[in-house]
Amino acid sequence: MKIQSKLLFAVTLFMTAAFGALHAQSENVTTEFGVKGGFNMSNLYDDSNGPDDNNVLYGFNAGVYATLPISDFIAIQPELLFTTKGSELKYNNAFAEGNAKFKLNYIELPLLVRVNVTKNFNIQAGGYASYLVSSKVTGSGDFEGSEDIDTDDLNKFDAGIAAGVGVDFSPISIGVRYNYGLTTVGKERTVLGTTYTFPDAKNSNLTVYLSYRLN
């Protein structure tokens, strides 16, 4: 995703500048519990093309998190989130004009290693696992309507890798994170002796988030 990559680069530069302006009193990681939410830019990609700028679907995520120290500057950060993913297809040709949104809603469990570069600036890396709770296709333009998709027709489990950066203005933190899916959204099935996967695509999701520490 070129747009997502540029945004990630821009936010990283902003956070680096913010980090330079902050006085790092200590690098100690403390135990935290809090709530968080953010803005998603999602897409689907396949192995032959990879993520790109096309068909980005905008959504959100919200949930809770904990930071559990294992050293003075390293912690394990589990989270429990509701998050939206999917893709949007825009079309404009001689026969029709409009868009169709393929929406996937997940309960997601990221498990990250958080490293405090300073007390105020951190980097995160790890993985996530998700469970599909609902899916839908909506259309607007020449073909309007909404139809739920039976989740049994899709792969209910998703998993992938995640990485991001964050800046702490205790009790509020802001950050950016990218999730790269490793499992296909569609199920593998066999029809008339032919095996295929539909949709043969994986999730890609960039998130800008805000968190609030409760303790």
Side-chain angles (χ1 to χ4, degrees), residues 125-145:
Y128 73 88
S130 302
Y131 182 78
L132 181 66
V133 293
S134 65
S135 54
K136 178 185 292 188
V137 172
T138 62
S140 61
D142 292 335
F143 298 99
E144 295 189 1

Side-chain angles (χ1 to χ4, degrees), residues 39-55:
F39 173 70
N40 288 350
M41 287 175 285
S42 304
N43 206 342
L44 298 175
Y45 77 95
D46 59 46
D47 292 331
S48 60
N49 296 318
D52 58 33
D53 293 346
N54 299 321
N55 308 325

Side-chain angles (χ1 to χ4, degrees), residues 138-161:
T138 62
S140 61
D142 292 335
F143 298 99
E144 295 189 1
S146 176
E147 182 177 355
D148 291 333
I149 301 173
D150 190 341
T151 56
D152 289 335
D153 293 333
L154 300 172
N155 192 347
K156 289 187 177 181
F157 292 95
D158 182 35
I161 56 178

